[in-house]
Amino acid sequence: MIKCLVEDVRARLRSGVTINSLGQCVEELVLNSIDAKATCVAIRVDLEAFKIQVVDNGSGMGREDLNAMGKRYFTSKCNSVGDLENLTFYGFRGEAVASIANMASVVEVSSKTSRTAKTFVKLFHNGQALEVCEAELSRPSGGTTVTVCNLFHQLPVRRKCMGPLLEFERVRQKVEAISLMHPSLSLSLRNDASCSMVLQLPKTRDVYSRFCQIYGLGRSQKLREINHKSGGFELSGYISIEGHYNKNMQFLYVNRRLVLKTRLHKLIDFLLRKESVICRAKSGPASRQPTSSPGRHRCGPELYGIFILNVTCAYSDYDVCLEPAKTLIEFQNWDVLLTCIEEGVKIFLKREHLFVEPCSEDIREFNEDNDFCLYNAPVLKPSLSDEKSIQDSFKKACDEIVDSYEMCNLQSKDVKR
């Protein structure tokens, strides 16, 4: 008999998908702080106890809002279907806090608005909300503190898969990625398990200065600005003129929201690795010449581009609700966007004297491996080996035609006899 799942089972299944890692939990809480107009956010993570705390100086919540907070589909950021076409906030589904509360044994939320002297607290125990009460110790200023204890206590397999070092590194990368699009936000990240301050990022002027805070002056001096508009899309940000041994410094955003593993990543990666000298191993002064041969096999370690790029467009042009983390994205018109990106990056590469023509084999391989093609790809001229292969194929086809014709004649003679 088909029956409706009971509420606690539904909540567990839904929450386990919405909050799938510590990094995802931290990201949701920090984005909530940004939505609350916070200018300072402090994060503490203890992976041994699976504990997270996020403190901000945002607008805060009074008793009434705290009563509604944590109920699924309750939010102050979206009131109608029309609001979904103009998403000015990161959160809009009313899912994050409810899901975190269902995944942790205890969640405490204390908050104070600038208009009141009182601080109010709401506790969740195994997903069940307790009554809002006045805090014994009042916050000195407006804002919110969220403390998550014993996260994923009901999912021992998921916990076992989370190595402390790797998981904390993912948290750090999430925080850095958010900070790059919000340079006016002061951020700190502390590892409570090792009692060490991992990140201290005071507010700064712009994305360039923030990148310098995180990765140092040497790397930031290699950044070059890029700006391009086309077809209702605007591409802006920075691309480095030097490569890196992994993709950890590749940041792509749409309207300042981080997106992952899209066609845009594949296109930009190809342009920087195959149509520029940026990702080529340095073998001497000649390696910087754009006229050098774009040979397919290169010596030295494989390098990848470094970039911080933001695509600005109308909110109605895309959909980020394909999965709970909202890092996958689908556009209404991919062709126009991909053309804008390709044009912008190529103009940048030519301006910086970094552009080289890709070889036909690279272009053919890219077009075959992806569900889209390079828009401004040059007409592919067959190489000598390609021409010889074509000639051999043509000769073989002619021979087969002659053989079949002769066989037909022999069969015809047999019939006549």
Side-chain angles (χ1 to χ4, degrees):
M1 180 185 293
I2 297 176
K3 296 186 296 184
C4 179
L5 291 171
V6 295
E7 176 55 34
D8 59 341
V9 175
R10 282 182 285 172
R12 175 90 63 86
L13 292 171
R14 189 166 50 226
S15 301
V17 173
T18 303
I19 304 297
N20 53 43
S21 67
L22 269 85
Q24 182 64 28
C25 181
V26 169
E27 182 178 24
E28 294 287 354
L29 294 176
V30 172
L31 293 180
N32 274 351
S33 297
I34 294 172
D35 284 342
K37 310 298 182 190
T39 59
C40 182
V41 178
I43 306 151
R44 299 176 69 168
V45 177
D46 185 345
L47 273 163
E48 292 179 359
F50 282 83
K51 181 179 178 180
I52 295 167
Q53 186 179 72
V54 176
V55 184
D56 70 49
N57 65 344
S59 56
M61 292 173 284
R63 182 189 287 271
E64 187 177 345
D65 281 340
L66 267 180
N67 272 321
M69 187 270 307
K71 295 179 180 179
R72 206 171 292 275
Y73 309 126
F74 277 63
T75 180
S76 61
K77 305 168 189 176
C78 181
N79 298 309
S80 67
V81 174
D83 290 343
L84 294 176
E85 297 179 359
N86 188 30
L87 296 171
T88 55
F89 295 102
Y90 285 107
F92 50 85
R93 295 179 309 196
E95 286 266 17
V97 176
S99 296
I100 293 169
N102 275 307
M103 288 290 99
S105 59
V106 175
V107 174
E108 180 188 88
V109 182
S110 65
S111 194
K112 175 182 179 295
T113 66
S114 57
R115 300 185 302 273
T116 62
K118 295 180 179 179
T119 298
F120 294 98
V121 178
K122 185 173 186 177
L123 281 171
F124 296 86
H125 181 67
N126 291 327
Q128 300 300 312
L130 306 182
E131 287 294 323
V132 175
C133 60
E134 186 177 340
E136 294 180 2
L137 296 175
S138 182
R139 286 176 59 103
S141 59
T144 301
T145 299
V146 180
T147 305
V148 181
C149 300
N150 208 13
L151 190 63
F152 303 129
H153 67 106
Q154 298 163 321
L155 300 173
V157 175
R158 187 176 300 187
R159 274 192 169 191
K160 189 176 180 180
C161 294
M162 294 180 182
L165 293 177
L166 182 58
E167 196 64 24
F168 193 89
E169 178 64 16
R170 287 170 178 161
V171 171
R172 186 184 64 79
Q173 289 174 357
K174 289 269 189 183
V175 174
E176 289 175 350
I178 293 170
S179 75
L180 283 167
M181 279 295 106
H182 298 277
S184 61
L185 178 69
S186 175
L187 273 162
S188 66
L189 173 62
R190 176 183 167 85
N191 186 342
D192 276 354
S194 62
C195 300
S196 59
M197 188 65 73
V198 179
L199 282 177
Q200 277 188 305
L201 304 173
K203 65 179 182 179
T204 187
R205 297 187 310 275
D206 49 29
V207 175
Y208 181 91
S209 301
R210 177 69 90 201
F211 187 89
C212 184
Q213 285 180 341
I214 299 170
Y215 298 109
L217 181 62
R219 288 206 181 277
S220 62
Q221 287 178 334
K222 304 296 182 181
L223 295 179
R224 300 292 182 270
E225 193 168 7
I226 176 173
N227 280 286
H228 182 70
K229 291 182 181 181
S230 174
F233 295 96
E234 180 179 357
L235 177 67
S236 61
Y238 296 89
I239 297 177
S240 175
I241 60 173
E242 284 191 351
H244 189 54
Y245 66 90
N246 61 32
K247 297 182 180 181
N248 286 349
M249 284 187 271
Q250 295 186 352
F251 301 95
L252 182 60
Y253 307 81
V254 175
N255 287 336
R256 303 207 302 173
R257 181 188 292 279
L258 183 70
V259 293
L260 305 172
K261 297 180 181 178
T262 68
R263 299 178 194 177
L264 305 179
H265 291 81
K266 293 178 181 179
L267 176 59
I268 296 168
D269 181 66
F270 178 85
L271 294 173
L272 297 183
R273 289 198 301 116
K274 303 296 184 180
E275 298 198 15
S276 80
V277 297
I278 292 174
C279 296
R280 299 192 178 184
K282 294 181 180 179
S283 57
S287 65
R288 292 275 301 173
Q289 298 301 321
T291 55
S292 60
S293 170
R296 183 160 175 75
H297 301 289
R298 307 182 183 107
C299 58
E302 186 173 15
L303 298 177
Y304 301 91
I306 299 172
F307 56 80
I308 314 102
L309 298 173
N310 181 49
V311 176
T312 306
C313 63
Y315 291 95
S316 58
D317 285 341
Y318 63 92
D319 181 4
V320 292
C321 295
L322 303 177
E323 46 84 47
K326 298 190 283 285
T327 54
L328 300 181
I329 193 166
E330 190 65 41
F331 283 89
Q332 186 174 349
N333 195 333
W334 275 106
D335 291 342
V336 176
L337 173 59
L338 291 168
T339 300
C340 172
I341 300 298
E342 187 174 347
E343 287 176 351
V345 174
K346 283 187 175 179
I347 290 171
F348 166 85
L349 293 174
K350 290 175 181 177
R351 185 192 75 200
E352 298 294 332
H353 307 292
L354 299 168
F355 180 76
V356 292
E357 290 290 350
C359 66
S360 60
E361 192 175 348
D362 283 337
I363 295 176
R364 186 182 297 109
E365 183 179 315
F366 180 85
N367 291 340
E368 289 174 354
D369 290 346
N370 295 285
D371 57 354
F372 65 97
C373 296
L374 294 169
Y375 177 73
N376 290 318
V379 177
L380 299 181
K381 297 180 180 179
S383 61
L384 292 176
S385 59
D386 290 337
E387 288 181 353
K388 187 177 186 303
S389 176
I390 292 170
Q391 290 172 358
D392 291 343
S393 298
F394 181 74
K395 185 176 182 302
K396 182 179 179 182
C398 290
D399 291 341
E400 289 176 353
I401 292 172
V402 171
D403 290 343
S404 63
Y405 180 77
E406 290 178 351
M407 182 61 68
C408 182
N409 283 342
L410 289 172
Q411 290 174 349
S412 298
K413 289 177 183 178
D414 289 342
V415 170
K416 286 178 183 180
R417 285 199 295 270

